Amino acid sequence: MSDHPTGIKRWLFTTNHKDIGTMYLWFAFTMLFIGGAMAMVIRAELFQPGMQVVNPNFFNMMTTLHGLIMVFGAIMPAMVGFANWQVPLMIGAPDMALPRMNNWSFWILPFAAIMLVAPMFIGGDFMAGQGPAFGWTFYEPLSGQYDKLAFFIFAVHLLGFSSIMGSINIIATILNMRAPGMTLMKMPLFVWTWLITAFLLIAVMPVLAGVVTMMLTDKHFGTSFFDAAGGGDPVLFQHVFWFFGHPEVYIMILPAFGIVSQIIPTFARKPLFGYASMVYATAAIAFLSFIVWAHHMFTVGMPAAGELYFMYATVMIAVPTAVKVFNWVATMWKGSMTFEVPMLWSIAFVFLFTIGGFTGLMLGVVPVDFQYHDTYFVVAHFHYVLVTGSLFAIIAGVYYWLPKWTGHMFDIRLSKIHFWVSAISVNILFFPQHFLGLAGMPRRIPDYALQFTEFNQISSIGAFIFGGTQLLFLYIIIKCIKGGDKVSDEVWEDAKGLEWEVPSPAPYHTHATPPTVK
Amino acid sequence: MSASHITKKLAVLSGLLLAPGVALADYALNMTQGVTEISNDIYDLHQLVMWICTIAGILVFTVMIYSLINHRKSKGAVAAQFHESATVEVVWTVIPLAVLVAIAVPATGVLLDIEDPSKSDVTIQVTGWQWKWQYNYRDEDLSFFSSLAADSNEARQLDADPSLKVKADNYLLNVDKPIVVPVNKKVRLLLTSNDVIHAWWVPEFAVKRDAIPGYINESHFTATKTGIYRGQCAELCGKDHGFMPIVVKVVEQAEYNAWIKSEKAAIAAAAGDSNKTFTHDELMAKGETVYKANCAACHQADGSGGGPFPGLIGSKVATTGSIEEHLKLIIVGKGIMPPFGAQLSDADIAAVTTYERNAWGNNTGDTVQPVAAKAAR
Amino acid sequence: MEPEVIAKTRVSNKKTAGKLLIIVVAMFGFGYALVPLYDVVCQVLGIGRFADIESGKYDPKAQEQLVKDMAANKDLTRNVTVEFITVLNGGMKWEFKALQKEVVVHPGVMSTVDFYAKNLTGRDVIAQAVPRILPGNATKYFTKIECFCFTQQIFKKGEARNMPLRFMVSPALPKSINTITLSYTFFDTQPVALK
């Protein structure tokens, strides 16, 4: 471990995929807590009807920043962190293909995050809510009313640079640096899902950069892309945004599919069922994600023909998604299952993600979407797919690979408590939100009519428990890094894959001589 | 579903435990059936899709739970090594496809039913404003604003007395002036916006349509039952997005005709007010009402302001500044303050100006008459 | 590394840099080429006539021909109601209305309707009217021959005037459409310029 700089220089100048992966994961973890703290403010305000904690503008700022931070700061960087750590280990490569760019794409992130939250603190009155407060979807013309819009725009630009460079790196690594014998159809599914995700990112991040640049010139340079007064069109904004936004949803969930597809076969002691169909289903979902964007805008007044097309295309996504769920269940079927912590999280993922998938199907049906649209039903839906979907898979992945990274087994008793409390409280948190939405509570409101009180209170209680429990996760990780039972190279009984053939903890340089895959 | 019954019980229980101060209101677990044919169709479609999803979920989860119980190592299960089957893959691709067709067919039917080009009986132009609705009865030359009721507005302020919420009539779902429409008549809505995007939503009519600046959107409903129906803005439109409710009163045709008549008479009377002279006390009383409904959301009920909204206590505009400047500011607006000229009558503007110049210790002693407001326009 | 390897790497690096430079120049050039390319594409496909009218590039002969064709197929037995909606954006202090709330026209017959506007803001205003048509699929069957929305309207302080709209509904209008709603939203262009 002496062949690299130590101290702060190690982290600033590192080109090592493991160091960079670690930094991505810690960054994501920090952001998870910041975004989570904002969610706690939201749920505290919604605990009772009436305004108790913050003013409406501050509340809107919380929902906006919570969404942006969780999407761009927590889920996406965590997935890139996994890619950095695991892709070279899993395909038998010594490092990422473009190590210096790897360093750069990480170090942009902290500055982007600072730029995003900085406006909160600029101006006289913190409690007035001085940050962006126009929703994470930043619809024009509302976002155009915000005077410090440029901060937000440049933060998004930086995040986009980082994502695009990260994706180029992942594609280059996967396509060029596989060990001899590792053909594409022999790659672990996690690698496959990331390869497809990286292509999605490269395709849509420039669209996001484009839309915010158009906002910038509208705001400061006299153009009228989205301003009807100058011949522009506010609905055009939504089309361009969702052309990015919908694939973005799959960018967050596809690597999660990959992680779960690694974990379930290990603990079922049975190869993944339908590997090839999993790959094709992932590609099909990625393709469909580009042609369904307007299902987020069924109420803008599209012609019926357009609504019908987007409805048909949207419900089609249920097919490859269902295939994936069936394959996971078939992998468990007639296996010899044990329920180690990563497996528990993965099983919870399959259950709860499926619920989110079903509500997604319901939302895709245009006439009923007129009732669901922009209500808490939508909030419940996307939290089921993003929290109990993406986040649960991330946590499962951390527990699965943490022993390999640190060489120590984590505290099993505490991690089981972490799982059970999280899995129960997350349902207390989000399930009642379905009822709220159906009963007519719009989303993004800081205060509500009295008939919504009970379910909001239940939801808030679930939120406080779920949020608090994640501090336990932090403790478990730190404890595991500091010490614990030594693990074998294989870590999990009969685990398959190249990452389990290197020593535990994984040394600074691995696969210096490429392994051969038979 | 038994699960939802349990949740319902839990809801009641925790409501009792946690909120002794808040009266237990009605709470719903499912979508409203509504009072229009379309809202009923949508409800049926919702039930259909929900049950399909529930049954599919039960099937998948049953298999999974069976496997989790029986195929575990601790029970001595030995892993089989099968890992693919083209037949199975084809079967479980085709079955979901068939289910989707079963959903798409009725969904298409309902959607095409919603597109109904037949002639309507009443046309209302709905304009979204930050943060209120403007309604314009096209055939009647009747136009007015509808904003959050004053009692709700007072109760929703930060650190307001919690009991006010319970006392308020339909907290947050009540307006100062509801729209009135006849029962069993087709009402056509033409939606647009004055500033940012809003969405007009009344769940009982199953109408949710965006109001977009520069656009005109169309929707319609035919309510089959008289009553009062409430909804809210459903598109984030800024600070007070949560505080611009919609109230629709569905009445018999005769009552509707009478309402139109009395509204027109009231407009004629208000026009007369422009030239009337009021006493100082009359203006103060009227001014307080106008202030609470229109100004208190930003400048606070006690005139203290907050954040980007300046306080009015002792402010230059409301004390030493000229009355004309003060009137102009209210009529034309400034910066983030919207213009109120279009929605307030001369008498309202005069009254609120008088109120601001004399309330909270701004004792200028000024009395502003409607004629001055008229001149300032 | 061996010196010849280093030399080889240098050569190949230079080649790569050269290729990348060419790509950068080509992309930049493509960006510039987009303007004439769009013009060609729009001309061929006949889109963006509104913009053409504004920029003066629009060919009036083509419109004349279109109007002639429609008039040749006029259908005096069919009645189409055209109703007018007027909206003022941003609480603009104007008076703006159509002098007729609605008119009944025959497809293929030219009609004229006057709109009245008065500037009450107390300053000179440059305003732009933005049209929308309901239902959306009627848009291409509604031809505006003369419209105040084609250009920005300059209204002096306190000025009032009538503005004509001359239009024709195409005989090809689908039979299911009996009512066309035309909305105009007037925007004060000053906030755009200042923003």
Side-chain angles (χ1 to χ4, degrees):
Chain A
M1 295 283 272
S2 56
D3 52 346
H4 57 77
T6 49
I8 185 78
K9 271 190 171 172
R10 166 177 174 185
W11 301 105
L12 275 179
F13 301 127
T14 184
T15 54
N16 180 288
H17 74 101
K18 299 185 185 77
D19 281 355
I20 293 171
T22 305
M23 288 196 294
Y24 263 112
L25 287 165
W26 275 115
F27 173 79
F29 209 21
T30 313
M31 285 293 140
L32 182 75
F33 280 110
I34 295 173
M38 290 173 173
M40 295 301 114
V41 174
I42 294 168
R43 285 315 321 172
E45 180 54 61
L46 292 175
F47 186 70
Q48 281 181 58
M51 303 302 297
Q52 292 88 19
V53 185
V54 292
N55 71 30
N57 204 48
F58 197 95
F59 180 90
N60 289 344
M61 181 177 84
M62 286 292 104
T63 58
T64 304
L65 290 175
H66 165 73
L68 290 166
I69 287 175
M70 288 306 196
V71 168
F72 293 105
I75 303 289
M76 288 170 70
M79 294 301 185
V80 182
F82 279 118
N84 260 293
W85 253 103
Q86 290 307 126
V87 167
L89 284 182
M90 291 168 114
I91 63 171
D95 206 310
M96 296 295 278
L98 308 159
R100 282 199 179 78
M101 193 163 87
N102 204 10
N103 173 296
W104 191 25
S105 68
F106 169 76
W107 277 111
I108 285 175
L109 278 183
F111 297 96
I114 290 167
M115 186 99 92
L116 187 62
V117 298
M120 277 175 78
F121 306 98
I122 297 172
D125 185 0
F126 178 73
M127 287 314 288
Q130 306 162 117
F134 35 66
W136 86 274
T137 50
F138 52 97
Y139 277 11
E140 283 275 12
L142 178 63
S143 52
Q145 292 183 336
Y146 179 53
D147 53 353
K148 286 174 284 204
L149 189 63
F151 276 95
F152 165 80
I153 288 171
F154 288 119
V156 170
H157 272 145
L158 289 178
L159 292 163
F161 288 153
S162 168
S163 291
I164 290 172
M165 287 192 290
S167 306
I168 290 172
N169 210 347
I170 288 166
I171 293 173
T173 308
I174 296 173
L175 293 184
N176 294 310
M177 298 186 62
R178 276 167 289 131
M182 170 82 70
T183 58
L184 283 175
M185 290 310 275
K186 275 189 190 166
M187 292 195 308
L189 208 74
F190 175 71
V191 181
W192 253 118
T193 53
W194 241 117
L195 180 64
I196 291 166
T197 303
F199 277 108
L200 281 184
L201 271 167
I202 289 183
V204 299
M205 276 296 162
V207 179
L208 176 66
V211 75
V212 294
T213 308
M214 286 152 93
M215 288 168 68
L216 184 76
T217 58
D218 266 12
K219 175 94 184 160
H220 295 292
F221 301 103
T223 59
S224 309
F225 291 107
F226 307 129
D227 187 341
D233 186 344
V235 176
L236 172 70
F237 172 87
Q238 296 182 26
H239 281 292
V240 185
F241 175 80
W242 286 113
F243 191 80
F244 146 80
H246 199 76
E248 169 68 23
V249 174
Y250 293 97
I251 287 165
M252 291 187 280
I253 198 69
L254 292 183
F257 290 166
I259 293 171
V260 170
S261 303
Q262 297 301 126
I263 294 172
I264 291 177
T266 300
F267 298 100
R269 292 170 182 72
K270 198 165 151 275
L272 183 68
F273 188 84
Y275 172 88
S277 75
M278 285 297 235
V279 172
Y280 300 140
T282 310
I285 292 172
F287 169 73
L288 288 172
S289 75
F290 282 106
I291 57 168
V292 297
W293 73 91
H295 68 212
H296 297 270
M297 352 174 351
F298 281 144
T299 61
V300 297
M302 263 182 282
E307 302 204 311
L308 285 175
Y309 160 74
F310 281 107
M311 171 169 76
Y312 298 149
T314 300
V315 296
M316 278 298 290
I317 297 180
V319 175
T321 314
V323 166
K324 282 187 162 289
V325 173
F326 295 150
N327 278 328
W328 289 320
V329 175
T331 307
M332 295 180 204
W333 188 256
K334 288 205 184 293
S336 171
M337 277 186 276
T338 49
F339 301 99
E340 282 86 347
V341 178
M343 183 65 165
L344 290 175
W345 286 95
S346 300
I347 291 168
F349 168 94
V350 177
F351 267 112
L352 300 175
F353 172 79
T354 304
I355 293 176
F358 280 132
T359 51
L361 174 65
M362 294 168 79
L363 283 160
V365 180
V366 181
V368 277
D369 181 71
F370 290 154
Q371 290 284 47
Y372 304 144
H373 180 84
D374 263 335
T375 67
Y376 259 80
F377 192 81
V378 179
V379 177
H381 158 70
F382 68 70
H383 281 97
Y384 263 87
V385 291
L386 286 176
V387 176
T388 62
S390 301
L391 182 63
F392 269 35
I394 288 169
I395 297 173
V398 168
Y399 280 125
Y400 187 52
W401 286 307
L402 194 60
K404 172 58 67 187
W405 300 338
T406 61
H408 306 132
M409 185 50 75
F410 47 81
D411 185 324
I412 289 172
R413 195 179 58 90
L414 283 183
S415 57
K416 284 201 170 161
I417 294 173
H418 174 217
F419 169 75
W420 285 108
V421 178
S422 296
I424 293 166
S425 61
V426 84
N427 284 293
I428 301 175
L429 164 54
F430 294 121
F431 208 78
Q433 295 184 357
H434 291 116
F435 303 133
L436 284 173
L438 292 176
M441 178 169 163
R443 66 191 282 210
R444 292 167 165 167
I445 59 172
D447 191 3
Y448 47 81
L450 301 183
Q451 69 260 38
F452 303 129
T453 309
E454 289 82 4
F455 286 130
N456 268 301
Q457 285 184 335
I458 297 171
S459 181
S460 288
I461 290 166
F464 301 142
I465 301 173
F466 183 74
T469 313
Q470 304 320 310
L471 293 170
L472 181 62
F473 187 35
L474 177 65
Y475 174 75
I476 293 168
I477 291 174
I478 293 172
K479 194 175 166 196
C480 178
I481 292 170
K482 290 203 160 164
D485 299 341
K486 292 266 173 269
V487 292
S488 67
D489 293 354
E490 200 181 53
V491 181
W492 310 107
E493 184 186 274
D494 209 17
K496 304 269 192 318
L498 292 177
E499 79 259 44
W500 308 113
E501 289 172 17
V502 302
S504 296
Y508 203 60
H509 297 291
T510 42
H511 298 315
T513 322
T516 308
V517 181
K518 282 174 277 304
Chain B
M1 278 189 296
S2 67
S4 57
H5 279 293
I6 295 168
T7 330
K8 202 163 180 169
K9 285 211 177 94
L10 278 175
V12 178
L13 194 67
S14 63
L16 287 173
L17 287 174
L18 296 162
V22 179
L24 269 182
D26 287 337
Y27 53 90
L29 291 168
N30 203 356
M31 182 187 282
T32 172
Q33 267 184 281
V35 292
T36 68
E37 205 179 308
I38 287 166
S39 72
N40 274 289
D41 290 348
I42 288 181
Y43 173 81
D44 291 342
L45 188 60
H46 158 74
Q47 290 294 91
L48 171 78
V49 186
M50 191 174 70
W51 280 110
I52 288 177
C53 288
T54 310
I55 291 165
I58 289 170
L59 290 176
V60 175
F61 293 155
T62 308
V63 175
M64 196 168 146
I65 290 167
Y66 177 88
S67 176
L68 290 175
I69 292 170
N70 293 295
H71 304 147
R72 49 169 74 201
K73 201 184 174 193
S74 56
K75 285 208 169 176
V78 178
Q81 287 303 312
F82 65 84
H83 58 87
E84 58 187 354
S85 160
T87 326
V88 171
E89 298 285 354
V90 169
V91 168
W92 66 38
T93 307
V94 171
I95 291 176
L97 258 176
V99 173
L100 292 183
V101 172
I103 293 173
V105 170
T108 306
V110 174
L111 186 69
L112 294 179
D113 283 347
I114 295 175
E115 302 274 315
D116 168 17
S118 71
K119 198 112 184 99
S120 56
D121 302 295
V122 178
T123 301
I124 305 176
Q125 186 180 329
V126 181
T127 311
W129 290 59
Q130 282 173 322
W131 294 275
K132 55 192 167 264
W133 296 97
Q134 183 185 16
Y135 298 101
N136 184 349
Y137 284 68
R138 239 182 97 68
D139 311 316
E140 311 289 349
D141 279 324
L142 175 62
S143 172
F144 58 88
F145 283 85
S146 177
S147 41
L148 184 66
D151 53 355
S152 286
N153 197 25
E154 199 175 335
R156 65 114 177 162
Q157 300 303 323
L158 197 55
D159 300 323
D161 179 355
S163 67
L164 288 176
K165 291 191 290 282
V166 187
K167 278 188 223 145
D169 180 17
N170 281 287
Y171 178 57
L172 293 188
L173 292 178
N174 202 19
V175 293
D176 53 355
K177 195 171 164 90
I179 53 171
V180 178
V181 297
V183 68
N184 289 323
K185 291 285 159 71
K186 184 175 170 190
V187 178
R188 176 165 168 250
L189 301 171
L190 295 168
L191 299 125
T192 185
S193 166
N194 176 62
D195 33 52
V196 300
I197 300 176
H198 305 267
W200 197 90
W201 181 34
V202 174
E204 266 94 354
F205 304 155
V207 171
K208 187 185 285 148
R209 227 354 102 93
D210 289 0
I212 306 168
Y215 265 69
I216 189 97
N217 257 337
E218 194 175 22
S219 194
H220 62 86
F221 63 88
T222 308
T224 55
K225 245 173 81 182
T226 56
I228 296 176
Y229 304 103
R230 298 169 196 278
Q232 282 177 275
C233 176
E235 179 65 65
L236 180 63
C237 55
K239 180 171 78 76
D240 285 347
H241 159 58
F243 307 103
M244 47 185 290
I246 295 151
V247 180
V248 182
K249 235 169 116 177
V250 178
V251 298
E252 297 295 342
Q253 181 71 43
E255 200 180 326
Y256 170 74
N257 294 343
W259 178 76
I260 291 282
K261 216 171 151 189
S262 74
E263 283 303 309
K264 284 188 170 166
I267 291 173
D273 277 355
S274 296
N275 300 316
K276 224 169 124 182
T277 305
F278 292 90
T279 68
H280 184 79
D281 291 344
E282 277 172 349
L283 286 166
M284 282 299 282
K286 189 181 176 68
E288 186 172 359
T289 320
V290 176
Y291 182 85
K292 280 195 173 148
N294 296 284
C295 319
C298 297
H299 296 292
Q300 304 305 321
D302 61 359
S304 61
F309 313 111
L312 302 180
I313 304 170
S315 77
K316 189 170 165 287
V317 175
T319 53
T320 53
S322 80
I323 292 175
E324 205 195 351
E325 286 297 315
H326 193 168
L327 288 166
K328 271 250 160 67
L329 183 68
I330 295 171
I331 293 166
V332 185
K334 184 186 170 189
I336 52 173
M337 175 169 161
F340 285 91
Q343 65 184 97
L344 296 182
S345 70
D346 292 334
D348 287 342
I349 292 171
V352 79
T353 309
T354 308
Y355 178 73
E356 285 175 1
R357 298 183 81 83
N358 292 287
W360 329 295
N362 284 358
N363 301 317
T364 57
D366 294 336
T367 305
V368 185
Q369 292 296 346
V371 195
K374 200 177 174 187
R377 281 180 189 264
Chain C
M1 264 191 280
E2 303 289 321
E4 61 263 37
V5 177
I6 293 172
K8 242 186 175 172
T9 316
R10 277 215 181 119
V11 172
S12 86
N13 279 354
K14 264 187 192 157
K15 264 190 188 163
T16 310
K19 278 182 203 160
L20 288 174
L21 197 71
I22 291 169
I23 292 175
V24 168
V25 172
M27 282 169 72
F28 198 72
F30 182 66
Y32 267 87
L34 275 177
V35 179
L37 275 176
Y38 268 116
D39 278 350
V40 172
V41 170
C42 290
Q43 220 164 17
V44 172
L45 299 177
I47 35 184
R49 282 198 304 162
F50 177 65
D52 282 353
I53 291 163
E54 274 199 308
S55 60
K57 266 186 263 174
Y58 174 60
D59 175 13
K61 268 192 195 142
Q63 172 145 31
E64 233 169 74
Q65 188 57 43
L66 180 75
V67 169
K68 254 188 208 157
D69 289 349
M70 287 198 291
N73 293 316
K74 68 181 163 206
D75 182 355
L76 296 177
T77 57
R78 192 173 165 198
N79 289 334
V80 177
T81 308
V82 180
E83 52 176 10
F84 305 101
I85 305 272
T86 53
V87 185
L88 291 164
N89 186 67
M92 194 169 155
K93 281 212 47 82
W94 272 39
E95 198 181 332
F96 175 43
K97 63 184 181 206
L99 294 183
Q100 282 157 286
K101 256 189 202 161
E102 56 181 49
V103 290
V104 177
V105 300
H106 303 302
V109 177
M110 182 106 69
S111 310
T112 305
V113 170
D114 273 334
F115 284 70
Y116 169 82
K118 184 174 185 192
N119 175 1
L120 303 169
T121 54
R123 62 180 166 83
D124 297 355
V125 168
I126 303 172
Q128 172 72 54
V130 175
R132 289 282 163 182
I133 285 171
L134 275 177
N137 53 353
T139 310
K140 62 177 169 186
Y141 303 104
F142 190 93
T143 304
K144 293 189 271 301
I145 292 129
E146 188 186 338
C147 178
F148 53 94
C149 59
F150 289 166
T151 52
Q152 290 187 334
Q153 299 289 326
I154 300 163
F155 273 69
K156 294 248 175 302
K157 175 176 170 178
E159 182 180 343
R161 66 169 181 261
N162 283 351
M163 303 173 294
L165 162 73
R166 279 153 69 75
F167 68 92
M168 193 185 269
V169 174
S170 165
L173 182 76
K175 292 277 178 255
S176 61
I177 302 174
N178 298 315
T179 305
I180 293 176
T181 307
L182 174 59
S183 108
Y184 282 106
T185 307
F186 246 121
F187 286 83
D188 183 347
T189 58
Q190 196 188 33
V192 183
L194 287 182
K195 206 168 60 172

